[in-house]
Amino acid sequence: MLWEVDIYPAPGQLDIAARQAAAAAAAMGLAENLSAASVRGFLIQGELDRSQVELLAAELLSDPVVERTVVAPVGDAVLQQLPAGMSWIVHVLPKPGVMDPVAQSALAAIADFRLKAEAVRTLKKYFVAGVDEDKLAALCWKVLANEAIEQVVIGPLRLERLELGAPYTFKLVTIPIRQMDDAQLEQLSRQGQLFLSLAEMQTIRQYFRGLGRDPTDVELESLAQTWSEHCSHKTLTGQIDYRDPEGRRQFGNMLRETIFAATHEVRRRLGADDWCVSVFEDNAGIVRFDEQFNVVFKVETHNHPSALEPYGGANTGIGGVIRDPMGTGLGAKPVCNTDVFCFAPPDTPLDSLPPGVLHPRRIMQGVVAGVRDYGNRMGIPTVNGAVYFDRRYLGNPLVYCGNVGLIPRDKSFKQPQPGDLIVAVGGRTGRDGIHGATFSSAELTSQSETISGGAVQIGNAITEKMLLDVLLAARDRGLYNAVTDCGAGGFSSAVGEMGEHIGAEVWLERAPVKYEGLSYTEIWISESQERMVLAVPPDKWEELHRLCRSEDVEATVIGQFVPTGRLVLKYDGHQVADLAMDFLHDGRPTVVREAVYHPAPIVPLHSADGTRADGAGPVDHRAVLLGILGSLNVCSKHWIIRQYDHEVQGGSVVKPLVGLCNDGPSDAAVLRPRLDSRRGLVVACGMNPCYGDLDTYWMAASAIDEAVRNCVAVGADPTRIALLDNFCWGATDRPETLGSLVRAALACHDMAVALGTPFISGKDSLNNEFRPAGAAQPISIPPSLLISALGQVDDVSRCVTMDFKEPGNLVYIVGLTRDELGGSHYALVMGLSGGQVPKVEPQAARRTFAAVHRAIAAGLVRACHDLSEGGLAVAAAEMSLAGRLGARLELEDVPHDVSISAGQSGRQTGSTVLGAELVTVLLFSESNTRLLCEVRPADAPAFEQLLEGVPTACIGQVTAEPLFEIYHRGNPLLQASVDQLKTAWQSPLDW
Amino acid sequence: MAQPSVLVLRAPGTNCDQETAYAFQLAGAKAEILHINRLLESPAQLERFQILCIPGGFSYGDDLGAGRILGNLIRHHLAEQIARFKTHDKLILGICNGFQVLLKTDVLLDWEPRSGPKATLTYNDSGRYEDRWVRLRVEGDKCVFLQGIETMYLPVAHAEGKFVARSPAVFEQLQAAGQLVLRYAPLDGSPGANPTAPLPFPDNPNGSMGNVAGVCDSTGRVLGLMPHPERHIDRTHHPQWTRIASSTTGDGRQLFLNAVKYFR
C-alpha cells in the first residue's frame, strides 16, 4: 500500500512556504499576486493500515498544535481537492535516487513505533492561483522546483509504488581503446565525461597497448579521476612558459616555484621559531596553536554544482570542506567555517537570463540556505565571509567554503601501513555525484543542467556529525593509522591517494549501498557525501567496529593495503582493475602550457564617453558615499550572517556583526577554540575581483594586504598569520588567462615573503566559464583570488572591534593615501574606468602592521577598522554607524603622496595625474595598508610614539551628536546623519 | 550533597553538549556527556545523576520537526525513568533543541489524554533560522533555575522557536500557574508598557505567544528555554564586550549556579 500524508498549517497559522513562493514569484516577475498554499507531505509504502498511518501522522510526522493532516492512499480524491479560489495543484518530489534525508529519518523513526515501512519519500505540494497558464511551467521550474533534483507533477499524483532500484548483474566492461584513432579518443573522452586531453588519452592508449590488453571501464574512470584538474591540479603544478614585458620565465611546477617557495623561504627565516607544521601536503595546512594543539585550515570551492543546484551544491561544498580538516593528520575537530560567494546582481531581469541559467537571486538564496543548514547542523560556527557581485558570475557563481580545525600536536601526521584494512565509514554509496571530479574541470553550457545532473548531490549533515563524533573518539583511542575523506572521485581518489606508496586491493561488492543496482564502477567513482576512509590495523578493527556501531555509524572493511604497488579492484571475486600506482599517479603526460601577460596601459579615470573624471564638474561626495555604502559588495550582509549560527561551541569573541546594536561590519572574527584558554584564533579574508581587470599582480597583493590588515585590525599578531590561496579563473588554455593567473601567483610569492605570512594550503578551480546556447564566446568570470587568513592572539581580552566607542576620542589614520582609484568602488558607483589600481609597498606594510599591533596590544586603541572598498570615507562611516556616534573629520593632514597636476584658482583641490580631484582621492582612494584607529585623548602621546616612522595623522574626533561630517581645510565636503548612513548600508540586502 | 552530577544527554546531531557541560563545570557541578544509546541500553543509569540536561543542536537532524525523534524515543523508552527522576526532587533543563525535545514529551507540560500536547515550538515568523541576542525578563519566582535573576541578555539561534499554546485558554492556564517564566523583553532595556503584549521583531525574535522564551513545569524544577545561557558565561561572549568597562562574567552563569546551589 502506498499512503500519502498531507500536512497543512492549521487555521490561523502562517504558511511560510507559500509566502516565500509568492515573494519569489513577484521578485522574478512571474506573478504579481500569486496566491499559494503549501502542503508538506510524505509518501509511505508498506503493510500499514489507516489507523497506523494516522498514528504516525499525529505523533511523528506533524505537529498537531499548529498543523492538521490528511491521510489517504495515493491518488485518493481527498488528496486532490483544490481549496476555494485555487486553480492548480503542483506536486514536487525528489527524483528517484536523490538524497532525501527527511525520508530516511522518517523510515528509521517509524521502526521505533514497531511498524514496518518499506520506503518513504517526501513531497511538497502547492495550490496556486493568480498565475497565467503559460507561466505555470516557469513558476514550477524557477520557483517551486529544481529540475536537477526534482520532478514536478501538475494535477493529480498517480504513483503505484516507490522506486527502490533493481538488482545489479555483474558484467565486466572493457573499452577497446587500443584500436581507437585520435578522433575516437577525443569522442570517448567527451562522451564518457572523462574530460581528458588528447595527449592524456594517447598516453593511456599507449600504456594499454604495452600491456597487450584493453582497459576496463573502471580503470579508465580511475585514471580520469586521478588525472582530472580537480584532483591533480595539473595546470598550476605543471610546466608553464610565461612571458611578460620583463622577460620570460620557465616554470617546472608553477605553484611550487611561487607560492610553496614563499612558504619555504618564510620557514627558513624563522628557523627554530618555525610555526608551520604541515603545508601543502595533507588535506589541509597545519600550523602551531599552543603547547598542546595545532590548528588546520582549508578552503575549497564548489562552483559548478552550485550553478545547477544551489542548495545541494553549497550544502555539499561546506560538508566537503569540513571533511578536509577531519581528514587531516589523524583528524581535527572543526571549530569554525568561512564562506565567500560571488554572484551576479540579484536584480538581474529574469528575461535577460540565458537558457539553462538559474536566476541569481535564487542561486543566492539556495547557496545561503545550503551553507546554513549544513554548517548549523554540524554545530560549527560560520564566522567569516564576504559576497561579491559581478554580472560575469551569472552562469558560473563561485562558492568558497572553508573550515578551521583543532588537532592535538601528536595527532598531526598519518601513515597507512601495509596490511591495514581499508575501512569505509559514514554514509552509504549511491549514484550521487558521479563524474563530479571530471565535471568540475569542464566548461558549463546551457546543456549542463541535463547532461551532468548526476554530478549534483544533496548532503545529510547529521550523518557527517555522527561520523565526526566517532572519528574523534576513535582517534583518541588510536584505532587507525590514517584517515582521508571521500571527496571528488570518491573511493577512487581516497583509496588511490592513501595507498599511493603501498598498493591496495578493494572488494567493491562489500561497500554498503543506498539502493540496489550500482555497478562496480559506480561504487568506485560515486561521490556520495559523508564518507571517509580509514587505514585500520587488523587488531584494532573489532574495537573500531564496536565504537561505530554504538553510535549507529556504519563501518565496513572494503579492502586492504597490500605492498604490491598496484591498485587491484575486485567485484564478487572478479578482478575488474589492475593498475600500477606509478602509472596512476605519475603517468600523466607533461604538457608545457603557454602563459603571457600584456600590461594594459594606465589611463586617467574617465567616463564611458571618454571625459576625464576631474573634468566632469563637481562631485556630490555625500551621494557617492551613500552610493558606495549601498553598493552590493559593501552593503550589510546581515541577512546572510544571522542565518548562520556563529556562536555554537561557545568560543565566540569577536562576532561578524559588532557595535552598539550588533550590526556593524567586523573586520575579522575572533574565537577561543579551547574554552579553558584565553588564546584566540582570528579568521579573515581578502578579495577584490574589481582590481583584477586592471592588473592581477596588484589584485593579489591587495587581497593579501587586506586579509592581513583585517586580522591586524582586531588584534592579531602579524608575525603569526597563515594564508590560504583559492584561485578561481576562466579557461587557462588561453595563454592570456593563464598569464594573468601566473602574475597573481608571483604577487602571492612576493607578498608572503615580505610580510612573513606563509601560505599553508590552497586550491584552484579553473575553467569557470559559461557558454549560453548559441553563443560563440563563453562568458568568463573575472579573475577571482580569495585570500583567507588565519591569525592568532595571545589573549582575546586585548582584541578590539571597529565601532566608535566614546565621544571625544581622537580618530587617526595610519598609512599613506595614494592616487589609486582604479578598480575602486568610487569608479564603480560613478561608472568610471581607468585609473591606477592600488599597489602595495610590502616593507612599509610590514612595519605598519607591526606598529598597529603594538598599539593594540598595549591597550591604546579603542576601535580599529581597515580601509578597503570606498576608502577612508566608507571606513569612517562604518565605524560611525556601528557605534551610533558621529564624527567630525578634517582631511588636510591625511598623509598622502598625491601629485597635483593642475591646481585651480579659487578651489581648495587640484586634479591628480590620474584623473580625480585631490579630495576625491583622499575620501575614496583604496590605497592598501591603511587603518583607522580611535584613541582616547589621554593615550594619544603613547599611541603616536608607537606609530613613529609610520605615516599617521589625527584627522578628527568622535562626536556624541550622531552626525557624520568630513571637511577639507575647513570646507565641508559631506555631511550625513548616522541614520542615513545606516539605512543606506543596511537596506539593499535586507531580505 | 556537595557536588551534583549532571547528565548532558547527546544524540546524533546534538552540538552544544561540550560548552553546556563546561558551563555546569564552571558552576561547580560534575558533568558527564552521555549518548542516548547508552541511556537506552540501561535507563537505570539516570539514577546516578541529580541534573538532566538536554542541550542544543539538531537531534536526529530535526528532520521531522525540531526535537520530534528524540522526544519520541524518550516517550517510548524512558518515560518511567524520567518520571521517577522528577519525583525525586531532581532538576531537568532543556536548552533550545532540548526545550523542543521536552515539549514533544510530557516531561515539561502535562499532556491531556485526548488533546495531546499543550504547546509547541514552531517556525519563526521570519521563516528562517536566526542567530541574534535578545533581552529576557524573568516572571515570578517559581523556577529553581531562575532564582534571583531579573533580566538576562542571551543569544537565540534557532529556526523553530515560536512558542504556541494549543489555545488561548491553555495559555491563560499556564500563565496563571506561573509557568511562563521567561519572556522576551524590549532590547533597549525599557520595561515595556504591558509585559505580555506582543513585542515587535526583533525584541521578540520569533513571534512567540505572550513573548514566551522559556517555560517551567508545575514544580519549577523542569525548565525549557530557547535562548542559550551557556553562550554567555564569559565576559568576551557579550557582543558589546569591547564597549563595556565593567567585567561581567556573563548573564547565563547564574542559571547554572542556581542549579548547582539547589543541591547544596
Side-chain angles (χ1 to χ4, degrees), chain B residues 46-47 49-50 85-86 88-92 221 263:
Chain B
L46 198 51
E47 288 163 22
F49 300 94
Q50 284 73 49
F85 194 85
K86 275 175 71 176
H88 285 179
D89 201 23
K90 293 178 173 180
L91 301 181
I92 300 177
R221 286 184 279 106
F263 296 97

Side-chain angles (χ1 to χ4, degrees), chain A residues 847-915:
Chain A
R847 279 195 306 275
T848 304
F849 296 146
V852 170
H853 177 62
R854 276 197 303 273
I856 291 176
L860 301 174
V861 177
R862 288 295 286 139
C864 183
H865 194 25
D866 99 298
L867 273 61
S868 53
E869 288 96 343
L872 168 59
V874 167
E878 288 175 344
M879 296 175 84
S880 230
L881 69 89
R884 297 294 196 274
L885 291 168
R888 192 188 160 95
L889 306 177
E890 164 58 63
L891 300 187
E892 181 172 8
D893 292 336
V894 171
H896 70 80
D897 74 346
V898 180
S899 40
I900 313 289
S901 61
Q904 288 179 29
S905 61
R907 293 184 58 177
Q908 297 291 338
T909 60
S911 294
T912 69
V913 176
L914 289 167

